[in-house]
C-alpha cells in the first residue's frame, strides 16, 4: 500500500472543512483542518502536509498571505485555492503568487476536487523526482570531473618525467 497523503484545509467555514475532511478521509487521505491562516501555517510547519487547500478570504492572515509564506518555505508543496468570490482577478493573483490551482466554492462535485488534488500530488512527485535526478547528475558530474582532473594531473607528471628522461638521454648521448 502507498503512502497516506496529508491534506491541510485552511478555511474559516467549518462546514466546508468538515465536508472536505469526510470526503477525503473516505478516499484514504489524512486531513487536518485550520480555521484561519495563522493556525494553518502552524499546522503546516508541524504536519508537513502533501497538499494545502486554502480559502482566500479569512480573518487574520489571508489565504494570499498563506500562499506567499508557503511559496517561500515549501515551494514544492501544492497549494490549491478554494474560493467563493468568483473574481478572475483573485484567481490570477493567487496563481501568480504560487497557487497551483483554483477551485470555486461551493464545490458541487467533490470528485472534481479530488481529481485536482491528485493531479497536484502527481506533479509534486515529478518535481521531487526531477530534483533528485538533477542532484544525482550533479554528483556524477562532480565525481567524473574530479577523476578527469586527477587523470590530467597524472598525465602532466608523466609528461614531465618523460621530458626529464629525454633530457637525461640527450645529455648522455652528448657526453
Amino acid at each position: 500500500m502507498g503512502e497516506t497523503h496529508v491534506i491541510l484545509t485552511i478555511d474559516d467555514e467549518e462546514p466546508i472543512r468538515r465536508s472536505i475532511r469526510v470526503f477525503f478521509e473516505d478516499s484514504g487521505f489524512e486531513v487536518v483542518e485550520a480555521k484561519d491562516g495563522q493556525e494553518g501555517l502552524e499546522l503546516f510547519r508541524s504536519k508537513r502536509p502533501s497538499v494545502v487547500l486554502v480559502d482566500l478570504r479569512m480573518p487574520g492572515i489571508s489565504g494570499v498571505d498563506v500562499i506567499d509564506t508557503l511559496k517561500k518555505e515549501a515551494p514544492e508543496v501544492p497549494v490549491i485555492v478554494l474560493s467563493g468570490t468568483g473574481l478572475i482577478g483573485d484567481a490570477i493573483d493567487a496563481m501568480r503568487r504560487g497557487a497551483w490551482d483554483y477551485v470555486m466554492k461551493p464545490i458541487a462535485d467533490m470528485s472534481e476536487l479530488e481529481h485536482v488534488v491528485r493531479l497536484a500530488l502527481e506533479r509534486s512527485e515529478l518535481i521531487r523526482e526531477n530534483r533528485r535526478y538533477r542532484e544525482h547528475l550533479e554528483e556524477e558530474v562532480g565525481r567524473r570531473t574530479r577523476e578527469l582532473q586527477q587523470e590530467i594531473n597524472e598525465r602532466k607528471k608523466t609528461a614531465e618525467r618523460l621530458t626529464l628522461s629525454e633530457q637525461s638521454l640527450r645529455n648522455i648521448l652528448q657526453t
Side-chain angles (χ1 to χ4, degrees):
M1 188 163 162
E3 135 188 36
T4 299
H5 291 286
V6 177
I7 297 175
L8 169 58
T9 303
I10 308 171
D11 197 306
D12 59 335
E13 297 179 63
E14 195 278 330
I16 290 174
R17 292 193 315 268
R18 183 178 355 103
S19 65
I20 290 170
R21 178 179 34 81
V22 168
F23 179 83
F24 278 99
E25 284 177 348
D26 286 348
S27 295
F29 290 84
E30 178 185 340
V31 181
V32 291
E33 303 173 39
K35 66 183 177 307
D36 59 42
Q38 180 65 42
E39 182 182 358
L41 290 173
E42 290 168 7
L43 274 172
F44 178 84
R45 292 174 183 127
S46 66
K47 297 286 187 178
R48 296 307 284 192
S50 309
V51 65
V52 176
L53 307 177
V54 64
D55 186 15
L56 289 181
R57 306 272 192 269
M58 294 180 291
I61 296 177
S62 72
V64 171
D65 293 333
V66 169
I67 293 168
D68 289 342
T69 301
L70 294 182
K71 183 169 182 168
K72 291 175 194 161
E73 291 184 19
E76 74 285 355
V77 175
V79 178
I80 299 168
V81 172
L82 304 177
S83 182
T85 65
L87 300 174
I88 191 70
D90 287 346
I92 291 169
D93 185 46
M95 300 297 281
R96 283 187 178 151
R97 289 173 180 267
W100 288 37
D101 213 328
Y102 191 96
V103 176
M104 290 296 301
K105 293 189 298 187
I107 303 164
D109 185 355
M110 291 296 278
S111 63
E112 290 178 15
L113 178 59
E114 181 180 10
H115 179 71
V116 169
V117 166
R118 290 190 185 279
L119 284 176
L121 289 170
E122 287 175 20
R123 179 178 166 212
S124 178
E125 180 57 30
L126 288 173
I127 289 169
R128 281 192 301 276
E129 285 178 15
N130 185 296
R131 184 180 59 240
R132 286 190 298 266
Y133 184 68
R134 270 195 331 262
E135 289 168 355
H136 171 73
L137 284 178
E138 288 171 0
E139 288 173 13
E140 285 298 309
V141 166
R143 183 187 60 76
R144 186 64 182 132
T145 300
R146 288 186 298 277
E147 288 175 358
L148 289 172
Q149 189 61 51
Q150 186 177 3
E151 188 176 321
I152 289 168
N153 291 340
E154 289 173 8
R155 286 183 182 201
K156 283 180 180 178
K157 288 177 184 176
T158 301
E160 288 171 6
R161 286 194 303 268
L162 181 58
T163 300
L164 288 174
S165 177
E166 288 174 348
Q167 185 63 40
S168 292
L169 184 59
R170 269 198 289 286
N171 288 343
I172 290 171
L173 290 175
Q174 284 178 356
T175 301

